[in-house]
Amino acid sequence: MTDRPLLLVEDTQSLQLVYEAVLRSAGHDVVSAADASSGLAAFKKLQPPVVLLDLMLPDRDGLDLMRDFLAICPDTQVIVITANGSINKAVAAMRAGAHDFLVKPFDEQRFLSAIDNALSSKVRNGTDNRPGHDALEFADFIGDSQPMRRVYAKINSVARSMATVFITGESGTGKEICAQAVHDHSSRADGPFVPLNCGAIPSELLESEVFGHVMGSFPGAISDKPGAAAEAHGGTLFLDEICGLDLNLQTKLLRFLQTSTIQPVGATRSRKVNVRIICATNRDPLEEVRRGRFREDLYYRLHVVPIHMPPLRDRGSDVLAIADAALERFAAEEGRTFEALDPDVASLFRRLTWPGNVRQLLNVIRHVVVLNDGPVVTRDMLPFELHHELEHPETPPDLGERPRVTLDGLIGRTLAEVERMVIEETIATHGGSIPKAARVLDVSPSTLYRKIDSWKSDS
């Protein structure tokens, strides 16, 4: 509880009365406002620790009002409320600084849990609200490159929230480590962290693995199984390779996210669980939505706070820091005397594209340490296939003849022609890598692939 009242901004009188009754029965003091202007006045007067804010207000957009709240008092925990058809507004609010969101209709337990989590986060922030995070505080990460500093800052920002985190990145970039770091820096750090690889479990068993089953519900169910969602109660459920879920299970996962209720396979009753969801994929989730393999409503429900794990080739000298740390650890484990990389090996590591990312680098160092002894890692100790990666750079897509882009060359052209020239030049500048060009242009790689396909069909 807090000595300052909560602020409720809700224009529907019946809902305002219901919310007030629930909050007061749970011991919370609450002040209500029916529109943005009175809500802003009450906020300035009360400086409430938590605000419950309906995004659809009669006199002003709720998202703009939230920005005013946070400008006045940045550490206020704002819980936004929105209708089911406006989840995209809730997502925008989370990215603008909201602590959590509720989608109507929601039950009393979900409502009070959101309040309790916001208040807990407020208390936590009061003692540990540092503006930045040094890389060393994320003990399982190694590297201090600018892309990783952005990841650390994002983890530090989102960890204290209850918002769903959606981690993307190529295979081997450390998505599970990122999920673990979010959990470890959250108010749920004392609770369980339960990882589940959706892509490694047969589809017919996934429902049981996620939601559990009761004995005798299907052949082989010789005892009750709680399932990952129940095991993660009070903590974090990490769903890796989320795009591997079949559509039927996606529907059940969406229902779970909306109600916080699970029903094990074969059970006649459902039960409530309190978990935070973190998910990850090495695919382009929007492309999966476009192809009908991933539900759009589930995507927007999960894709609240995105974190992109950079590939190793974009992390500069991090590759050497990771290699040195791995060499020290593996040498100690295997009883070897390795101490350093030969300068030629270090130069090679910096030039390689590392398609398997950090996982591939660790495997290379492990290979060297197991089969050789030090004190220096030389080029002849490296796996044979590693030498050939420099000889096979990524092949650029066939874009045909394209003129060099200059400002003079853009004048007099249509907007579509200018867009194509800029995209093609960016792809060429980055060695034909569409993912790299997409990051520079701040679009999804699937967007560039679609445009290239359309140009080919038009020619």
Side-chain angles (χ1 to χ4, degrees):
M1 303 302 168
T2 175
D3 57 351
R4 287 178 291 160
L6 312 182
L7 174 61
L8 168 65
V9 184
E10 169 61 65
D11 65 315
T12 304
Q13 186 175 12
S14 58
L15 289 177
Q16 186 182 110
L17 292 173
V18 170
Y19 297 159
E20 286 177 349
V22 171
L23 289 169
R24 286 177 178 139
S25 67
H28 298 291
D29 189 12
V30 58
V31 171
S32 297
D35 53 40
S37 59
S38 57
L40 184 58
F43 183 87
K44 291 177 178 178
K45 178 180 178 181
L46 300 170
Q47 298 277 300
V50 176
V51 175
L52 288 152
L53 173 63
D54 192 331
L55 291 178
M56 301 298 291
L57 298 173
D59 57 337
R60 191 179 175 196
D61 181 74
L63 186 56
D64 289 340
L65 179 60
M66 185 195 76
R67 292 191 178 102
D68 282 352
F69 288 163
L70 295 178
I72 296 169
C73 190
D75 63 345
T76 300
Q77 307 299 305
V78 180
I79 301 171
V80 297
I81 301 172
T82 187
N84 189 51
S86 303
I87 292 178
N88 58 327
K89 290 203 69 174
V91 172
M94 294 298 302
R95 292 173 180 169
H99 174 78
D100 200 353
F101 70 94
L102 299 168
V103 179
K104 301 175 185 176
F106 48 82
D107 60 28
E108 181 176 327
Q109 181 176 341
R110 173 74 178 97
F111 184 54
L112 292 176
S113 293
I115 298 293
D116 290 343
N117 286 327
L119 288 171
S120 297
S121 179
K122 178 75 174 175
V123 171
R124 182 180 176 90
N125 289 353
T127 58
D128 188 25
N129 189 23
R130 292 161 293 177
H133 245 296
D134 190 276
L136 294 176
E137 296 185 50
F138 296 94
D140 290 328
F141 280 118
I142 297 172
D144 198 34
S145 63
Q146 194 59 40
M148 287 307 295
R149 282 191 170 274
R150 287 194 290 268
V151 170
Y152 302 148
K154 201 72 168 284
I155 292 172
N156 187 39
S157 175
V158 73
R160 297 183 296 272
S161 165
M162 269 295 291
T164 302
V165 177
F166 201 119
I167 306 170
T168 56
E170 298 174 10
S171 180
T173 51
K175 295 186 290 294
E176 183 169 345
I177 295 175
C178 178
Q180 182 75 60
V182 172
H183 171 78
D184 290 344
H185 287 77
S186 74
S187 58
R188 294 172 168 257
D190 293 335
F193 175 82
V194 180
L196 186 69
N197 190 328
C198 301
I201 301 171
S203 57
E204 62 271 16
L205 298 179
L206 256 178
E207 182 176 0
S208 169
E209 291 295 324
V210 177
F211 300 118
H213 64 252
V214 298
M215 184 174 65
S217 56
F218 55 84
I222 59 176
S223 62
D224 290 352
K225 179 181 176 66
E231 290 176 344
H233 180 68
T236 301
L237 175 61
F238 174 51
L239 298 174
D240 199 4
E241 300 309 332
I242 186 72
C243 290
L245 287 177
D246 66 44
L247 289 171
N248 180 55
L249 194 54
Q250 288 179 33
T251 301
K252 295 182 178 181
L253 178 60
L254 180 62
R255 188 180 307 120
F256 165 57
L257 292 171
Q258 292 171 338
T259 65
S260 299
T261 300
I262 61 171
Q263 184 166 350
V265 177
T268 57
R269 294 183 178 179
S270 58
R271 57 166 291 196
K272 292 279 188 180
V273 293
N274 178 14
V275 302
R276 182 191 193 169
I277 300 292
I278 300 177
C279 57
T281 183
N282 60 9
R283 306 181 193 178
D284 179 349
L286 275 178
E287 179 67 11
E288 296 300 298
V289 171
R290 187 182 74 83
R291 293 180 179 274
R293 295 192 290 247
F294 200 74
R295 290 181 58 122
E296 185 175 19
D297 48 1
L298 180 59
Y299 167 79
Y300 284 113
R301 185 74 196 217
L302 292 172
H303 201 265
V304 178
V305 180
I307 298 179
H308 180 72
M309 294 301 299
L312 186 56
R313 61 184 173 273
D314 290 346
R315 293 178 55 182
S317 60
D318 282 359
V319 64
L320 300 183
I322 296 169
D324 288 340
L327 184 65
E328 181 180 359
R329 176 161 62 93
F330 295 156
E333 291 175 0
E334 301 293 339
R336 300 292 198 253
T337 60
F338 282 108
E339 296 177 357
L341 304 176
D342 183 87
D344 180 50
V345 172
S347 176
L348 173 65
F349 280 10
R350 286 294 301 267
R351 300 198 310 273
L352 288 170
T353 58
W354 299 107
N357 294 292
V358 176
R359 185 182 295 123
Q360 180 188 7
L361 174 59
L362 296 179
N363 288 341
V364 166
I365 299 299
R366 173 72 80 177
H367 171 100
V368 168
V369 171
V370 168
L371 297 181
N372 304 274
D373 202 354
V376 176
V377 176
T378 58
R379 189 163 182 155
D380 61 291
M381 297 178 182
L382 300 178
F384 181 75
E385 61 273 13
L386 200 67
H387 297 283
H388 293 277
E389 287 195 18
L390 286 174
E391 302 172 16
H392 300 282
E394 183 177 0
T395 303
D398 181 11
L399 300 174
E401 292 295 324
R402 54 179 185 83
R404 298 294 297 177
V405 177
T406 65
L407 185 59
D408 291 339
L410 300 180
I411 303 302
R413 294 183 179 272
T414 67
L415 185 59
E417 289 174 329
V418 171
E419 179 187 59
R420 176 171 179 172
M421 293 172 70
V422 170
I423 289 174
E424 289 180 343
E425 185 69 18
T426 305
I427 293 173
T429 299
H430 290 84
S433 172
I434 290 178
K436 287 184 180 179
R439 284 193 291 275
V440 171
L441 295 170
D442 197 23
V443 298
S444 167
S446 62
T447 299
L448 299 188
Y449 283 117
R450 286 197 299 271
K451 288 184 181 294
I452 292 169
D453 288 342
S454 69
W455 298 336
K456 291 177 181 177
S457 63
D458 292 341
S459 58

